[in-house]
Structures are given as C-alpha cells and as structure tokens.
Amino acid sequence: MSGDLSTRPPDLRVRRNPTARGALRGWVLTGIAGLGFLIVALVVAAYFDAAFGVQASLLALAAAVVPLGIVIPTFLWLDRFESEPNRLLVGAFLWGALVAAVVSALLNTTAMSLIEAMSTADPDAALTTTAVLVAPFVEEAAKGVLVLFVWWFLHHEFDGITDGMVYAGICAAGFAFTENIQYLAQAWTEGGSELLTGTFIARCLFSPFAHPMFTVLTGIGIGIAATSRSWMPRLLAPVAGFLLAVLSHGLWNLAAVTGGEGMVVIYLFVQVPIFFAFLAFVAWVRRTEGHLIGQFLRPYADVGWLSPAEVAMLSSMPQRREARAWARANTGREGLKAMRAFQDAASELALLRRRMSHRAADAHAIEQEHELLLALRDRRAEFIGLPAS
C-alpha cells in the first residue's frame, strides 16, 4: 500500500475548503443533463403517442414498471456496502431508458433499411440479420458507454467490479423499460389483451434480467480494468466484456427470432441456468466486497483509527444492520443517521485505500483519505452521544 499510516498524526485538522464555484458547476452540469433527458423523454413520448396512441402507451407503461420492481432492488442490494450516489444511478437509468434506447432504435432501423435495400432474399432475413448481428453490437455499445463514462470521468466514484455491475445493470434496466413499453404497446395494438398478456409474461416475468445480464458483462470488464495495474488488462478486459455481452445478446435474439420449440429449449437449458449462475455471482461479488472492506480497513485499526470490532462490523452486512439498530436505540434518529454515515465513510475509505494500493487513485487521494478519517471520528462521536471534535 502507498503511504505510511503510522506516521500520520492522530488528530487531523485540515479539511478541503469547499468553493461556491465547484458547487455551482455541479448544479449547472446537473441542470444541463436534466434538460437533455427531458427533451429526449418528450421525443420518446411523442413517438409512442403517434405510433400506438395514448391508451396503449399508458397501459404498456404500467406493465413495463413491473420488472423494474424485480431488477432495480437486486442491483441496489448489490450496492449496499458502498452505495453509489443517487444522482448517478438515476442518470444511469435515464441514459439507458432514453439516450441508449433512442440511439439504438435509430441505428437498428437504419441498418435494417440498408440490409433490405441491398438484399434480394426473403424480407424477413433483414429483420433476422439486424436482430442477431447488428442490434447486439449497437445496443450493448449504447449501454456500455455509460459505464465507460463513469469509470473514465468519475473514477473517484468507480471502485471495481461491483460498481461496474451496478451501473451496467441499472442502465440496462432503463433500456429494457423503454423497449418493453414499445413491445407491449405494439402487442396491445395488434392483438389486444391476449397478445399483450403473452408478451408481458415472456418479457416482463420470464426474462426481466435479460438486458442487465448482457450489459453486466461489459461492467465486469470495465471493473477489472479499474483495479488493474497493468495496461494490458485495462485495455483488454473492457473489450472482452463487451464482446461477451454482444455474443450472449446475439444468441438470445437468435432464439427469439427462431421461435417455437427452439426458443423454449434455449430458455430452459441455457438461459435459466445462466440466470441462476448470474444470481450466484451477484451474491459472491457482494460477499467478496465485504471481505475486501475488512482487508483494507485493518491497517487503520492497527494504528488506532478504528477498533477491531468496528472492522468486523463494517465487513458484515448483518452486523451493519445490528449496529444501525443499536445506534437508533442509543441516540435516536440522529444516531442512526450518524451510524449510516460512519459505515458509508468507512466503505469509501476502504475502497479508496484499495485504489491507492493498485495505483489507481488520483492526486487528491491522500487529502480525501484524511477527510474520511475525520468523518469517521466525528460520526462515531455522534452515534455514541459525544460532541464532534
């Protein structure tokens, strides 16, 4: 690890001086992003209204919300040890639901038109070619670029595989949400309630994790790159993750356009086992993150910033819940708030220390480490009922 904890004074007083300019810049960027998302949302809403009508669009919208209640909590559960900022998670969802969905629709439609114009074969061949060979590249690139953006420009918020999976999964959930609205509205328009029900069961109940599972592969690749010292995995891991996402997406689309018994066989004997393997991997990643937090917090316990008992608590989600319950019983809601902040700061400190050990932290890492140590001290004083220093 870089740095020598034992040489640092036990009573750090220096804090970063916040500036109004930095806060203003953050508000301006947030406002610009929000305005952009609003404009794209109005375009998407106008398209759905023109293509399917208000009634079909609203019905499809209500049905498309259902899988979000399954997918989003799964990725938030994975994100419990070191929660990502809500604004970035909302931004990831909106990117998938609006920007990635619109860009993909435009490029896929253009590609299919070009294939139809160049081909003299069965017109259905253009649809199959687009779905299997074009759409996976376009859609996974449109979703994956969000994860790449967070890693490249907001690397202080990106700590590895877990973050890669979370941003990829939330973004893909947004993409699937918009795509489901289109398919459900089209089903209602063409076949009424019967076709709508079948489409809802197939897309929203049987395969709600399809898009997230594809894009998570890209997120894993970028997560590996974020914690690698060598240039080779930093270059190759994202590419490999993206290609695996494209391959799995293409196979899924091939099964979908083939239809019939082939779709059932692939679903039961390929997709279902992959889905359970995906859930097991998610659970393993979360458990591993707890171990990593303990590993990188122990040096702080060795020099007195934390106690061994606190490190054990911070490494275990059940013990974290017990600690929050104790804090609330001891000092009320303010104590609970302080304990949550203490746990978040400790997780951020551990993952910062991990980046420092991999030489992936920026020039402000030491200053950020000092601020987090001060935050631990002050939040501890609050949840045990003492005035902060």
Side-chain angles (χ1 to χ4, degrees):
M1 294 185 186
S2 61
D4 182 4
L5 287 172
S6 63
T7 64
R8 294 180 188 152
D11 185 21
L12 297 173
R13 298 291 182 179
V14 178
R15 295 179 184 267
R16 183 183 301 172
N17 293 322
T19 62
R21 180 177 298 177
L24 179 61
R25 182 167 55 247
W27 280 106
V28 170
L29 292 176
T30 301
I32 293 174
L35 179 60
F37 285 136
L38 177 60
I39 292 172
V40 180
L42 292 175
V43 171
V44 172
Y47 164 76
F48 283 141
D49 180 36
F52 309 111
V54 175
Q55 180 182 6
S57 298
L58 291 178
L59 182 62
L61 173 66
V65 169
V66 174
L68 294 182
I70 304 171
V71 176
I72 297 295
T74 299
F75 287 100
L76 294 182
W77 176 84
L78 174 61
D79 193 38
R80 287 290 296 277
F81 271 110
E82 198 268 324
S83 300
E84 298 308 301
N86 289 335
R87 69 183 187 282
L88 293 184
L89 295 179
V90 171
F93 180 85
L94 292 176
W95 178 276
L98 298 174
V99 179
V102 170
V103 169
S104 296
L106 291 174
L107 293 180
N108 288 341
T109 301
T110 301
M112 188 166 65
S113 299
L114 291 175
I115 293 172
E116 286 178 345
M118 296 169 58
S119 175
T120 58
D122 184 356
D124 290 339
L127 175 61
T128 301
T129 302
T130 303
V132 177
L133 299 180
V134 177
F137 277 96
V138 170
E139 295 175 10
E140 293 310 317
K143 292 178 288 181
V145 72
L146 181 279
V147 189
L148 190 65
F149 177 91
V150 176
W151 172 44
W152 195 257
F153 294 102
L154 302 172
H155 49 272
H156 59 283
E157 297 290 355
F158 199 96
D159 297 303
I161 291 177
T162 301
D163 288 355
M165 293 177 67
V166 169
Y167 284 114
I170 296 294
C171 179
F175 184 94
F177 173 66
T178 300
E179 191 176 68
N180 284 340
I181 294 175
Q182 178 175 358
Y183 279 102
L184 291 166
Q186 183 176 354
W188 172 262
T189 303
E190 296 178 356
S193 60
E194 184 176 350
L195 185 56
L196 174 66
T197 301
T199 304
F200 174 78
I201 292 173
R203 295 189 62 88
C204 299
L205 299 185
F206 281 4
S207 57
F209 283 95
H211 272 289
M213 284 195 300
F214 306 147
T215 313
V216 155
L217 294 171
T218 301
I220 292 172
I222 296 175
I224 292 173
T227 55
S228 297
R229 298 183 182 183
S230 172
W231 66 269
M232 185 170 293
R234 291 173 69 87
L235 175 64
L236 296 182
V239 174
F242 171 72
L243 293 178
L244 287 173
V246 170
L247 178 61
S248 59
H249 194 158
L251 291 175
W252 175 263
N253 285 359
L254 177 62
V257 298
T258 301
E261 294 182 0
M263 177 64 179
V264 175
V265 170
I266 290 178
Y267 179 80
L268 291 178
F269 295 101
V270 178
Q271 294 299 329
V272 170
I274 289 176
F275 170 68
F276 284 109
F278 165 75
L279 292 182
F281 183 71
V282 167
W284 177 82
V285 167
R286 178 169 135 148
R287 186 169 60 251
T288 300
E289 187 171 30
H291 294 327
L292 286 173
I293 287 173
Q295 174 186 342
F296 286 97
L297 286 181
R298 287 189 191 99
Y300 298 101
D302 293 340
V303 294
W305 284 106
L306 293 165
S307 70
E310 286 174 331
V311 172
M313 177 270 289
L314 293 164
S315 306
S316 167
M317 192 55 66
Q319 290 191 44
R320 284 184 174 222
R321 288 193 292 268
E322 293 175 4
R324 291 195 294 269
W326 173 88
R328 180 162 189 169
N330 184 56
T331 47
R333 290 188 176 181
E334 290 303 316
L336 174 60
K337 181 180 178 181
M339 177 60 79
R340 284 176 173 163
F342 177 84
Q343 293 175 348
D344 289 344
S347 295
E348 189 174 350
L349 177 65
L351 295 175
L352 172 66
R353 195 70 188 175
R354 184 189 183 200
R355 292 200 303 272
M356 294 167 69
S357 72
H358 291 147
R359 300 177 183 176
D362 58 22
H364 299 294
I366 299 299
E367 184 179 359
Q368 185 181 2
E369 181 186 38
H370 288 190
E371 292 179 349
L372 289 170
L373 289 170
L374 284 169
L376 288 178
R377 182 195 61 188
D378 293 346
R379 300 298 81 76
R380 182 193 293 113
E382 291 173 7
F383 67 68
I384 64 176
L386 296 176
S389 301

